[in-house]
Amino acid sequence: MTHQTQPSPIVIPALRAVMGDRAYFVSTLRLDEVSQRISFAEEIHPSKALNELIQRRLNDKRADDIAEYLVREEQRFFNALVVGVYAGNPTWQDFGSITAEEPTDRLHVPAYASETFGFLQLTGAEQLFAIDGQHRLAGIKRAVLKDPGLAAERVAVIFIAHHAGEDGLRRTRRLFTVLNKTARPVLKGDIIALDEDDLMAICTRRLVNCSVYFSRGQVAMRLRNSLPPADQSSWTTITMLYDMLTVLFRDAYPACMGKRRRALASLKNLRATDSELNAHHDFAAEYFAQLANHFAPVRAALSGSNSSEPVPVHRNSTGGHVLYRPLGQKIFTQVAAELCKESPMPDAIGKLALLPTDLKEPPYASVIWNTHKGTMVNTGPAASLCRDLLLHMVGLKPRRSTAALRKDYGAYTGVDPEVVQLPNVVLPKSTSDSPHSHP
């Protein structure tokens, strides 16, 4: 461990609470105090044993994203850090001067208050390490270095004693796993409905609320990507709309606009400026306008007088149009994004329109369309193979070799890879490697 000057003693107001056989203290620390006093497990345990038991490997990119969030976002907020306290001599002093249940300036203090409110004194010799919130801790350390003005801001901290020895390690390990096993990720539906940083979520809501293409029942408020057979009116689902925007904003938008491709975490966690939001929203609206322009069945669903009328025609037990299936919509968007790397969007969608669309025909039959059951095959491998077959058909390089493509296509269709025929190419191999600007 790198030698550091021992922090000075500090007295902080805190709440003391007990759950089971654990006492803990809830308080706040300045961000510079967090940065200086709280360490990662591998920094405070020379043997690395504690690190092996409770430390998750830190992701530098995630820590950078958190630091950027703190520096950039005015409405920043964090959950409490859970901090283990090891060694030293922390002491607790309750508010003994408060008389329980006695009125003081019309304030009726409950009986437990004298034991709950008080001060926690740290000598500075303690070793404080993050049990939960290690990436947030890393982000705080980097943010304070980038912007010293953040130093005085405060974050909630929960202090829990950690004891030496195998029993102490076992207790701390169990606490770590409990915190991380019971913490559930935010559901995609909640992100779409509420997230004010996620670029795709914001634009999804705007499209559903304001666009003629999606505000008249074309989007099912369904937290799954697929549509059930009973739904005879929706064109897509709100989660698939979100996924299509993710593909567009990660790959197609930077290619068409001549911009650098952004990491997905950046698109999700760093709120864009109003002008950036408007530009991405307009780009997405243009994409769907081009789909409607080049595919008459899509136009009937998105801008027709009765958006539900064409659904039974183009999505039924015999297959129908690939762009009436949410999975097909995502695969086509992936191919469109690759085409946008060499052509303006209208031209890219024009090339996309050369592809077949009947699910009963190659490359969909026996890959993403089960011809015997009359159902979609919504698996990752099937979708990946279908995407690569379509890339092959429009003259772009698939993500697998030609030999692998033949082998996998043969396995799905039941034809020997040596004799299987890949679907016909609709465009010659592209010779252009330079991106075009969006008009």
Side-chain angles (χ1 to χ4, degrees):
M1 180 175 66
T2 303
H3 175 74
Q4 295 180 342
T5 302
Q6 178 175 310
S8 59
I10 185 175
V11 177
I12 52 177
L15 302 175
R16 181 182 185 275
V18 176
M19 288 190 72
D21 63 353
R22 293 184 187 273
Y24 60 95
F25 304 89
V26 183
S27 186
T28 65
L29 286 178
R30 287 166 49 111
L31 294 190
D32 59 348
E33 292 171 338
V34 169
S35 179
Q36 295 163 13
R37 293 175 180 273
I38 304 176
S39 301
F40 307 108
E42 71 270 19
E43 295 178 6
I44 59 91
H45 207 289
S47 70
K48 301 289 185 179
L50 181 60
N51 178 46
E52 293 176 2
L53 294 174
I54 70 169
Q55 167 75 359
R56 287 184 298 182
R57 185 177 299 278
L58 285 173
N59 182 312
D60 286 343
K61 184 65 177 66
R62 183 176 173 190
D64 284 340
D65 289 339
I66 292 173
E68 181 65 21
Y69 165 79
L70 287 172
V71 171
R72 176 175 173 176
E73 180 57 59
E74 292 185 1
Q75 299 180 17
R76 50 189 171 268
F77 182 78
F78 270 175
N79 290 335
L81 304 175
V82 180
V83 173
V85 181
Y86 178 69
N89 188 30
T91 56
W92 165 256
Q93 178 64 53
D94 60 38
F95 285 2
S97 60
I98 295 180
T99 303
E101 305 295 354
E102 289 291 332
T104 304
D105 294 332
R106 294 177 297 172
L107 176 65
H108 292 272
V109 181
Y112 64 84
S114 63
E115 298 178 355
T116 300
F117 302 149
F119 292 97
L120 181 64
Q121 181 174 6
L122 302 176
T123 65
E126 298 83 7
Q127 293 176 325
L128 308 179
F129 57 92
I131 296 175
D132 184 54
Q134 295 173 96
H135 288 97
R136 279 170 280 154
L137 173 60
I140 288 172
K141 289 176 179 286
R142 298 177 194 189
V144 170
L145 289 175
K146 292 176 67 174
D147 182 1
L150 294 169
E153 296 195 3
R154 306 186 76 88
V155 66
V157 179
I158 299 175
F159 295 97
I160 299 179
H162 164 72
H163 302 286
E166 184 58 34
D167 287 343
L169 288 172
R170 186 180 298 111
R171 283 173 60 85
T172 301
R173 181 176 70 241
R174 186 178 186 192
L175 177 61
F176 176 83
T177 55
V178 166
L179 288 170
N180 287 277
K181 283 166 60 178
T182 58
R184 300 183 62 182
V186 180
L187 298 177
K188 184 189 290 188
D190 294 333
I191 292 173
I192 295 171
L194 300 171
D195 201 305
E196 287 295 341
D197 296 316
D198 189 304
L199 182 59
M200 290 70 67
I202 295 171
C203 289
T204 296
R205 293 195 299 269
R206 189 179 296 184
L207 287 171
V208 170
N209 289 331
C210 304
S211 171
V212 66
Y213 296 140
F214 299 113
S215 60
R216 296 179 296 115
Q218 298 97 327
V219 180
M221 297 299 130
R222 176 176 167 81
L223 301 183
R224 298 183 64 181
N225 282 348
S226 60
L227 286 164
D231 188 329
Q232 293 289 289
S233 60
S234 304
W235 182 69
T236 192
T237 71
I238 194 161
T239 54
M240 183 53 77
L241 180 57
Y242 175 93
D243 286 353
M244 285 190 279
L245 295 192
T246 301
V247 174
L248 289 175
F249 294 166
R250 286 190 74 188
D251 298 308
Y253 181 86
C256 287
M257 298 300 188
K259 296 182 179 293
R260 183 172 60 88
R261 187 176 185 266
R262 292 173 58 186
L264 181 59
S266 173
L267 295 172
K268 287 176 173 287
N269 300 323
L270 299 178
R271 183 178 174 88
T273 64
D274 287 345
S275 61
E276 289 172 336
L277 283 171
N278 291 336
H280 282 81
H281 168 268
D282 293 346
F283 185 85
E286 173 68 9
Y287 171 71
F288 292 109
Q290 290 296 333
L291 281 185
N293 182 48
H294 285 87
F295 296 91
V298 175
R299 182 165 63 251
L302 298 188
S303 58
S305 58
N306 183 351
S307 60
S308 63
E309 185 175 344
V311 173
V313 177
H314 298 294
R315 186 173 70 239
N316 49 55
S317 60
T318 63
H321 200 286
V322 65
L323 287 177
Y324 270 69
R325 302 285 178 163
L327 179 61
Q329 295 158 10
K330 182 175 182 178
I331 294 172
F332 263 55
T333 303
Q334 292 171 332
V335 177
E338 294 301 310
L339 289 167
C340 282
K341 294 178 180 179
E342 62 173 37
S343 303
M345 187 196 288
D347 293 347
I349 307 306
K351 296 175 182 178
L352 199 69
L354 298 174
L355 290 168
T357 58
D358 190 340
L359 283 170
K360 298 191 302 295
E361 304 298 328
Y364 317 111
S366 300
V367 179
I368 62 170
W369 178 251
N370 188 317
T371 55
H372 300 293
K373 297 181 178 180
T375 58
M376 289 292 291
V377 182
N378 291 298
T379 65
S384 173
L385 175 59
C386 184
R387 177 206 62 215
D388 279 0
L389 289 168
L390 293 178
L391 288 173
H392 158 78
M393 294 174 72
V394 295
L396 297 179
K397 185 178 181 179
R399 297 181 186 178
R400 67 192 83 192
S401 67
T402 301
L405 193 62
R406 294 174 63 89
K407 177 183 177 182
D408 294 341
Y409 189 49
Y412 271 81
T413 56
V415 180
D416 190 318
E418 297 296 326
V419 298
V420 69
Q421 295 294 315
L422 294 178
N424 293 331
V425 174
V426 298
L427 279 174
K429 293 289 183 182
S430 172
T431 58
S432 172
D433 293 324
S434 58
H436 291 253
S437 298
H438 189 266

